Amino acid sequence: MKRLSLIVLLAVFVLMGCNRNPLKVDVSDIEMDITVWRFDQDLFAVKNKESQELDQLSRKYGAYFDLYNYKVIQLGDPKDPRYPEYLQKFLNDPVMNEVYEKCQEVFPGFQTQKHALDNAFKHYKYYFPNRKIPQIFTHISGFNQSMVVAEDVLAISIDKYLGADCEFYERLGNPLYARYKMTPQRIPVDAIIALGLSEFSYDNPKDNVLGNLIYQGKVRYFTQAMMPDISEREIMGYKPEQIEWCLNNEDNIWGYLIEQKHLFSSEYRLIMRYINDGPFTQGLPQESPSRVGIWTGLQIVKSYMKQHPDVSLPQLMKETDYEKILRESGYQP
């Protein structure tokens, strides 16, 4: 009986080992306490104030202040004599004030998002100890880019994450499939995806469907490594029924790509068909989610890493031979 019990226990441990997530690494000895700079609050605090406060704000935020004015709200050079006038128009705009109040209601603090980002950056330091942790800022973009990434900067447009049912998004005509992901809990995932896209640029002279799928898959695998407790569905931003459709139709998706001879096509519109957001993926049933190409790329990368347990995450992110990744992945859904 004891021998039988021992065999059963060994079998359980083997099964547990087989199911263990290789991306769940021990980061308990890595300290991380990022600062989230609430630029949105500081900026709106200078409304109707003297230029002295504006100068102080400019000095406090430095290069990021310029980035925000040039690239996000596009007011131009803060040193322009007319800049204070332009900024006051932005800050006193009734709609922008309504947006600001809503942002403060949804984000009176940022602790939930900060905790998730702290944990993600612990993993970032584990895998990439020599890379700098970017400074994190929150701002109001006027519903422009969700994430702004520059050198040592990761800025979050909190007005793009006010909740799927936010009235502003309905007024703007944002489609339902986009609104589903415009929630506060989505911020950490989108931030890490944006970091991955910025830190590991796409390098492929052929620039075809296959390269884009696997590159995007690598970035999602990187995101999984930074956030190993987040489900693949959440990484992809899918609804439960959408990830289920992908899992049930993985062979059909791959078969369609092969049969249509799309993998090695460099046609821009075809590439965008498989990686862009939308109500569904064109060419596949309307029950399909959008971005199935990214999801397929992720499955190929996962298969490649399973076949090559000696390949580290930094090595994977450096690998730009996408045909090699496919070939050595043994991917066969």
Side-chain angles (χ1 to χ4, degrees), residues 281-307:
T281 296
Q282 183 185 350
L284 294 173
Q286 292 195 4
E287 295 77 26
S288 67
S290 62
R291 297 169 285 115
V292 296
I294 297 177
W295 183 80
T296 300
L298 174 57
Q299 307 317 303
I300 294 170
V301 171
K302 284 164 57 181
S303 182
Y304 173 79
M305 293 301 281
K306 188 175 181 180
Q307 293 290 332

Side-chain angles (χ1 to χ4, degrees), residues 155-170:
I156 301 161
S157 302
I158 55 175
D159 52 334
K160 296 293 293 289
Y161 296 95
L162 296 174
D165 59 350
C166 180
E167 61 180 310
F168 296 128
Y169 305 148
E170 188 172 354

Side-chain angles (χ1 to χ4, degrees), residues 159-299:
D159 52 334
K160 296 293 293 289
Y161 296 95
L162 296 174
D165 59 350
C166 180
E167 61 180 310
F168 296 128
Y169 305 148
E170 188 172 354
R171 283 194 229 168
L172 290 166
N174 293 119
L176 290 173
Y177 66 80
R179 283 188 245 170
Y180 176 73
K181 298 186 290 297
M182 299 171 77
T183 62
Q185 58 267 30
R186 182 71 194 171
I187 285 176
V189 174
D190 279 358
I192 298 303
I193 289 175
L195 178 70
L197 291 169
S198 173
E199 290 293 294
F200 310 102
S201 57
Y202 179 57
D203 181 15
N204 184 16
K206 297 178 182 178
D207 194 22
N208 53 23
V209 170
L210 175 67
N212 278 274
L213 266 53
I214 294 181
Y215 167 72
Q216 293 285 345
K218 285 203 308 177
V219 172
R220 274 36 177 214
Y221 187 85
F222 163 82
T223 306
Q224 287 185 323
M226 300 304 104
M227 313 178 83
D229 294 321
I230 302 295
S231 70
E232 187 164 296
R233 178 184 72 80
E234 292 170 292
I235 297 289
M236 287 299 305
Y238 281 165
K239 298 177 181 179
E241 61 270 23
Q242 291 177 320
I243 195 69
E244 185 178 356
W245 188 93
C246 288
L247 292 168
N248 291 336
N249 291 275
E250 185 174 2
D251 56 342
N252 293 327
I253 297 169
W254 187 242
Y256 181 80
L257 282 161
I258 300 296
E259 289 167 11
Q260 298 297 314
K261 299 181 179 178
H262 286 173
L263 275 183
F264 300 102
S265 171
S266 295
E267 185 182 342
Y268 177 76
R269 286 182 298 178
L270 197 57
I271 294 169
M272 293 300 103
R273 176 195 297 188
Y274 289 109
I275 66 175
N276 269 7
D277 206 4
F280 66 99
T281 296
Q282 183 185 350
L284 294 173
Q286 292 195 4
E287 295 77 26
S288 67
S290 62
R291 297 169 285 115
V292 296
I294 297 177
W295 183 80
T296 300
L298 174 57
Q299 307 317 303

